[in-house]
């Protein structure tokens, strides 16, 4: 089955073109755009891990190593499209236009962190596994019914394919030809469980066969392969040709979250090896050097700009008004139950210093 779903690659690990099919489309401007976004979201990710270690935000899900999958796919969308991220896809939401301050507020446990800028159709991150997939199908089908050309993209990990929502989402999208892209980032571990212990199938892309929709498998660390293959899927959806399942084969360098210790279930030397051999930023840098497009001074300025932007977002997050503890009760039910109301009253009494 792997032979039916080969990994599509445009740029190899040495930064060379695998084929010349896209050579004319890969310009210096496009490469620099990708490099800027890849650098920006990596700077953010590393800063967020540091903030968690200092106790300035809560548990955090890092994505370092998966940047090409998130940047390449997000840049294939238009402003009016929909994005349905999981908890590890804030790199994609940043690229699509979410504010860094609100993303940080989300990881600090604030409701405000779920709110995207006006006009940005970004769903709150799906914390329960795969629940965002049916939502993405619903939004896409609604756009189809309204007669627009807008599409939606749903991000999820390899572990999500074991959930019912994955199969229900693909089935409904297939039946109604909803304009949705199912974008799987196969980082090869569902928390601590390697993919060979999660499923018998050799690929995730082949699961598309059961729903009679296209399934493609790409090198998730090759930002060009991610971008152009996602663009194809987006164009198919806009043309009324229905959904596509994309499996981006990638790797997360670090832990599942900052509450996790990856050394307990995998050899981190393998992770270090992958960083040296197939890192998405390093690969793009190699290609740019081959093409004569890379300038050390420019790259340094990109990193400094990213650091400045992230530090400013941290300041905004930490100067944001303190949360009112009472709001924790406001969104449990539409109308508070007597138990919720009792707990809320008890909190108010404690705040007033009453017994």
């Amino acid at each position: 089955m792997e032979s039916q779903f080969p990994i599509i690659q445009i740029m190899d690990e040495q930064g060379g073109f695998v084929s010349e099919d896209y050579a004319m489309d890969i310009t210096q401007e496009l490469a620099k755009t990708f490099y800027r976004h890849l650098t920006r979201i990596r700077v953010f990710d590393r800063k967020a891990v540091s903030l968690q270690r200092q106790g300035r935000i809560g548990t955090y899900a890092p994505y370092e190593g998966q940047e090409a999958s998130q940047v390449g796919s997000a840049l294939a969308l238009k402003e009016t499209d929909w994005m349905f991220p999981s908890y590890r896809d804030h790199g994609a939401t940043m690229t699509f236009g979410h504010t860094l301050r609100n993303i940080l507020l989300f990881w600090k446990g604030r409701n405000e962190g779920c709110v995207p800028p006006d006009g940005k159709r970004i769903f709150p991150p799906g914390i329960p596994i795969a629940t965002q997939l049916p939502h993405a199908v619903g939004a896409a089908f609604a756009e189809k019914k309204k007669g627009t050309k807008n599409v939606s993209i749903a991000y999820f990990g390899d572990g999500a394919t074991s959930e019912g929502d994955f199969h229900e989402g693909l089935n409904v999208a297939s039946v109604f030809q909803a304009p949705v892209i199912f974008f799987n980032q196969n980082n090869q571990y569902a928390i601590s469980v390697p993919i060979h212990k999660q499923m018998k199938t050799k690929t995730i892309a082949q699961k598309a066969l059961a729903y009679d929709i296209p399934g493609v498998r790409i090198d998730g660390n090759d930002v060009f392969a991610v971008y152009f293959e996602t663009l194809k899927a987006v164009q198919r959806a806009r043309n009324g040709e229905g959904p596509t399942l994309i499996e981006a084969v990638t790797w997360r360098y670090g832990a599942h979250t900052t509450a996790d210790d990856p050394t307990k279930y995998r050899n981190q030397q393998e992770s270090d090896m992958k960083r040296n051999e197939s890192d998405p930023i390093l690969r793009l840098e190699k290609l740019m050097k081959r093409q004569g497009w890379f300038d050390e001074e420019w790259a340094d300025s990109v990193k400094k700009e990213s650091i400045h932007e992230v530090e400013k977002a941290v300041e905004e997050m930490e100067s944001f008004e303190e949360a009112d503890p009472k709001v924790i009760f406001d969104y449990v039910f539409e109308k508070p139950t007597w138990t919720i109301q009792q707990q809320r009253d008890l909190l108010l009494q404690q705040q007033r210093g009453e017994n």
Side-chain angles (χ1 to χ4, degrees):
M1 191 58 73
E2 286 178 284
S3 61
Q4 285 184 250
F5 294 91
I7 295 178
I8 297 169
Q9 197 178 60
I10 293 175
M11 170 179 58
D12 63 25
E13 287 77 2
Q14 288 71 47
F17 289 121
V18 174
S19 76
E20 296 298 317
D21 292 349
Y22 291 95
M24 296 297 292
D25 299 310
I26 298 174
T27 63
Q28 180 176 1
E29 181 182 5
L30 183 63
K32 284 192 167 185
T33 297
F34 287 159
Y35 190 89
R36 187 179 295 278
H37 281 287
L38 292 169
T39 301
R40 177 175 180 254
I41 71 170
R42 178 164 290 185
V43 166
F44 177 93
D45 190 61
R46 290 181 174 179
K47 182 64 177 182
V49 171
S50 176
L51 291 171
Q52 190 280 329
R53 297 307 189 210
Q54 297 170 52
R56 294 159 72 184
I57 61 173
T59 300
Y60 175 76
Y63 53 72
E64 185 169 351
Q66 300 182 210
E67 291 93 346
S69 291
Q70 299 196 21
V71 167
S73 56
L75 289 178
L77 303 174
K78 289 186 177 178
E79 289 270 335
T80 52
D81 292 330
W82 290 83
M83 180 174 284
F84 291 79
S86 76
Y87 50 75
R88 201 184 304 283
D89 301 307
H90 28 295
T93 64
M94 285 170 59
T95 304
F96 196 50
H98 213 318
T99 61
L100 274 62
R101 183 204 69 178
N102 279 20
I103 294 172
L104 288 170
L105 283 172
F106 172 81
W107 290 107
K108 200 176 182 182
R110 300 292 295 270
N111 290 328
E112 296 87 347
C114 294
V115 181
D118 289 343
K120 287 292 178 184
R121 296 170 167 182
I122 304 173
F123 206 66
I127 303 300
I129 306 301
T131 54
Q132 69 275 19
L133 272 66
H135 290 299
V137 176
F141 186 55
E143 292 289 351
K144 180 178 180 179
K145 295 290 283 184
K146 289 191 292 185
T148 77
K149 294 290 185 180
N150 300 328
V151 307
S152 68
I153 187 168
Y155 291 93
F156 56 100
D158 42 296
T161 65
S162 298
E163 297 286 340
D165 287 307
F166 167 79
H167 299 281
E168 292 154 9
L170 265 67
N171 187 57
V172 173
S174 171
V175 169
F176 294 102
Q177 288 291 277
V180 56
I181 295 88
F182 297 101
F183 194 91
N184 166 249
Q185 290 170 88
N186 178 4
N187 65 25
Q188 301 170 61
Y189 277 88
I191 308 183
S192 59
V193 183
I195 194 165
H196 70 270
K197 290 185 177 180
Q198 297 176 53
M199 61 190 72
K200 184 69 172 176
T201 56
K202 299 300 182 185
T203 74
I204 289 170
Q206 72 192 73
K207 296 177 187 292
L209 294 172
Y211 304 100
D212 196 25
I213 65 174
V216 295
R217 199 164 179 239
I218 60 177
D219 182 342
N221 287 4
D222 175 354
V223 69
F224 296 112
V226 174
Y227 173 73
F228 286 111
E229 287 300 320
T230 306
L231 201 57
K232 282 183 190 176
V234 166
Q235 289 168 345
R236 285 189 67 261
R238 293 198 205 286
N239 292 337
E241 298 174 55
T244 302
L245 172 61
I246 297 175
E247 176 189 357
V249 181
T250 182
W251 185 268
R252 70 165 198 266
Y253 295 139
H256 172 72
T257 72
T258 49
D260 174 42
D261 180 4
T263 63
K264 298 293 185 183
Y265 55 82
R266 76 180 191 190
N267 184 353
Q268 282 300 96
Q269 289 182 343
E270 183 182 3
S271 198
D272 294 339
M273 181 183 70
K274 288 181 181 291
R275 184 187 291 276
N276 292 328
E277 292 180 353
S278 60
D279 181 79
I281 298 179
L282 181 60
R283 286 169 73 171
L284 179 56
E285 188 175 308
K286 288 177 180 178
L287 180 138
M288 293 174 71
K289 287 178 178 178
R290 281 183 174 224
Q291 300 297 321
W293 298 339
F294 193 80
D295 178 83
E296 294 284 355
E297 188 174 333
W298 171 81
D300 188 53
S301 69
V302 167
K303 187 172 183 179
K304 286 178 179 177
E305 288 169 13
S306 299
I307 291 171
H308 177 75
E309 182 187 10
V310 170
E311 291 295 343
K312 183 180 178 184
V314 172
E315 288 179 16
E316 292 173 353
M317 178 266 290
E318 294 190 320
S319 62
F320 201 75
E321 61 182 357
E322 288 295 317
D324 183 346
K326 296 193 300 297
V327 302
I328 197 171
F329 303 104
D330 292 346
Y331 305 107
V332 181
F333 297 102
E334 182 184 7
K335 294 180 180 178
T337 63
W338 69 268
T339 53
I340 296 292
Q341 189 61 49
Q342 188 180 67
Q343 292 172 45
R344 188 177 186 276
D345 292 344
L346 180 61
L347 174 67
L348 291 174
Q349 289 176 15
Q350 291 174 344
Q351 287 181 321
R352 292 194 295 265
E354 300 175 7
N355 293 328

